[in-house]
């Protein structure tokens, strides 16, 4: 009897860990590459043990059914973690766009939220976004969303078509956010290059490339300084909305 109870509890922890642990691999702030893998696994195990008594999970008796349930829960965790990461990628896309517009795309820096390199502006925006997540307690909101996801998607139920469509909408939303927040920089680039082109027509001897570079960088960084509070505030609200929707 005791052995059966222990097996049931272990299976319940594994089921909870399949969703929570998989999500923690991708969640911004909690699943960054700078955090060692063993620490992320330990955090996922601790959260699974803490949330397991409150999670409505009934382990199946057969091993095949348990393996299928674990696979479904892992896919749901992948959706939650990857969905949050897709939204966070809006800051990366915006940083790359601003760097190209302001002629700073060659100012490369180490990637802070991925294994690939990035521009200095991208690293600045992503680090500011991560700091904002913890400063506004959005990491608590992520954990709350993981717990409430069991009310929206109970254990054992996998609406694969709905999740696939939601991921596609999140990708579109991420690009929309990046494009909308980058619109002032695009307008700046159009106006600046148009003005320099007209100036070159009036004064053919003017060294346009030597003048355009410093002016473009100065105006771009000045606009970034003015727009960054609104950019980060909008991103924080949109990011929080994703986890607030993980409930009925």
């Amino acid at each position: 009897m005791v052995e059966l109870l222990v097996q049931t509890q272990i299976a319940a922890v594994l089921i909870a860990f399949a969703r929570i642990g998989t999500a923690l691999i991708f969640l911004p702030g909690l699943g960054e590459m700078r955090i060692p893998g063993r620490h992320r696994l330990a955090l996922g195990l601790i959260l699974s043990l803490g949330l397991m008594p409150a999670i409505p999970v009934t382990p199946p008796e057969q091993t095949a059914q348990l393996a299928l349930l674990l696979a479904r829960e892992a896919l749901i965790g992948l959706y939650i973690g990857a969905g949050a990461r897709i939204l966070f990628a809006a800051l990366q896309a915006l940083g790359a766009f601003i760097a190209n517009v302001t002629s700073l795309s060659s100012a490369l820096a180490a990637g802070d939220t991925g294994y690939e390199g990035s521009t200095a502006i991208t690293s600045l925006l992503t680090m500011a976004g991560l700091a904002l997540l913890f400063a506004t307690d959005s990491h608590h909101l992520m954990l709350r969303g993981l717990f409430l996801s069991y009310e929206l998607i109970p254990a054992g139920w996998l609406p694969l078509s709905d999740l696939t469509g939601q991921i596609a909408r999140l990708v579109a939303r991420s690009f929309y956010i990046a494009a909308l927040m980058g619109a002032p920089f695009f307008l700046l680039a159009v106006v600046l290059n148009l003005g320099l082109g007209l100036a070159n027509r009036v004064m053919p001897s003017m060294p346009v490339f030597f003048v355009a570079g410093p002016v473009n960088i100065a105006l771009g960084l000045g606009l970034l300084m003015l727009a960054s509070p609104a950019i980060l505030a909008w991103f924080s609200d949109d990011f929080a909305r994703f986890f607030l929707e993980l409930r009925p």
Side-chain angles (χ1 to χ4, degrees):
M1 185 67 180
V2 176
E3 191 175 320
L4 180 61
L5 179 61
V6 171
Q7 291 178 355
T8 303
Q9 294 299 317
I10 292 176
V13 172
L14 287 176
I15 294 172
F17 181 77
R19 179 182 298 195
I20 297 173
T22 305
L24 284 177
I25 296 176
F26 298 96
L27 283 178
L30 300 176
E32 301 301 327
M33 55 169 283
R34 295 181 180 271
I35 302 177
R38 66 183 69 179
H39 295 173
R40 282 180 281 173
L41 289 175
L43 178 60
L45 184 58
I46 292 172
L47 290 176
S48 302
L49 289 172
L51 296 178
M52 188 266 294
I55 294 175
V57 174
T58 303
E61 298 180 357
Q62 298 182 1
T63 305
Q65 293 178 348
L66 177 61
L68 182 60
L69 181 57
L70 290 175
R72 289 176 176 175
E73 289 298 291
L75 286 176
I76 296 173
L78 176 63
Y79 158 71
I80 297 173
R85 181 62 65 176
I86 288 171
L87 285 178
F88 193 81
L91 288 179
Q92 295 174 307
L94 176 63
F97 175 73
I98 294 175
N100 286 323
V101 167
T102 57
S103 304
L104 289 174
S105 58
S106 60
L108 301 179
D112 293 306
T113 59
Y115 293 94
E116 72 282 355
S118 61
T119 64
I121 294 181
T122 301
S123 297
L124 175 65
L125 287 177
T126 52
M127 288 301 296
L130 288 176
L132 188 64
L133 289 183
F134 290 100
T136 57
D137 290 335
S138 293
H139 58 295
H140 295 167
L141 191 62
M142 289 190 287
L143 299 179
R144 178 175 175 268
L146 274 175
F147 174 69
L148 294 178
S149 67
Y150 284 92
E151 298 181 10
L152 181 65
I153 309 175
W157 181 48
L158 181 63
L160 191 57
S161 58
D162 294 339
L163 296 183
T164 304
Q166 186 65 18
I167 287 291
R169 286 188 289 271
L170 287 173
V171 172
R173 179 65 181 172
S174 180
F175 278 108
Y176 172 76
I177 293 172
L180 201 58
M181 292 190 296
F185 298 91
F186 176 76
L187 182 62
L188 172 66
V190 171
V191 173
L192 179 61
N193 285 284
L194 182 61
L196 289 172
L198 292 175
N200 189 32
R201 278 297 215 181
V202 175
M203 296 180 293
S205 61
M206 184 183 72
V208 176
F209 290 103
F210 290 99
V211 174
V215 173
N216 197 10
I217 293 174
L219 291 179
L221 292 180
L223 182 58
L224 178 62
M225 181 181 65
L226 295 175
S228 55
I231 288 174
L232 294 175
W234 188 12
F235 163 76
S236 179
D237 292 340
D238 203 87
F239 186 82
R241 191 178 301 116
F242 170 73
F243 288 96
L244 291 174
E245 292 174 353
L246 289 176
R247 60 177 302 171

